[in-house]
Amino acid sequence: QVQLVESGGGLVQAGESLRLSCAASGSIFSNNSMGWFRQVLGKQRALVAAMPSGGNANYAHSVKGRFTLSRDNAGNTVYLQMNNLKPEDTGVYYCNVGGPEGFWGQGTQVTVSS
């Protein structure tokens, strides 16, 4: 059974940085799309960044230029580097592999105070 384990969330002030990590228990990254989604209370989960297998990353407009998605297929790990964080970046961040019908992590809370 595939498991995605996220880490790196926390409480920071506006302008600071965080790096989220997502480690998979199996070799599922190399042939699948991967990405990060964010969910805030009362709203649907929304795409933050995604990268198809062998392709370039796409980002939500609100995070372009501040967030960087990267993947380490050999290490079965995907990262989201988040710089210059803003209060509106606050939410629970979920790692995803294989799209909405694929695999999800348990979520990690990111809180950005103003």
Side-chain angles (χ1 to χ4, degrees), residues 50-96:
M51 180 185 294
S53 176
N56 296 320
N58 295 306
Y59 299 91
H61 179 74
S62 62
V63 307
K64 280 183 180 179
R66 299 186 298 119
F67 289 13
T68 302
L69 183 66
S70 61
R71 61 194 295 168
D72 175 4
N73 289 336
N76 295 324
T77 305
V78 59
Y79 304 97
L80 184 67
Q81 177 67 42
M82 306 186 294
N83 297 329
N84 189 22
L85 282 159
K86 302 177 179 181
E88 52 264 40
D89 296 321
T90 294
V92 179
Y93 283 71
Y94 293 91
C95 175
N96 169 264

Side-chain angles (χ1 to χ4, degrees), residues 2-44:
V2 174
Q3 288 187 325
L4 303 178
V5 179
E6 298 134 337
S7 61
L11 171 63
V12 296
Q13 292 187 333
E16 295 184 337
S17 299
L18 283 173
R19 188 191 195 202
L20 304 183
S21 299
C22 174
S25 60
S27 300
I28 60 172
F29 282 155
S30 60
N31 296 320
N32 285 290
S33 64
M34 38 69 71
W36 290 88
F37 289 69
R38 178 175 63 223
Q39 188 166 25
V40 297
L41 190 63
K43 295 188 177 181
Q44 288 188 333

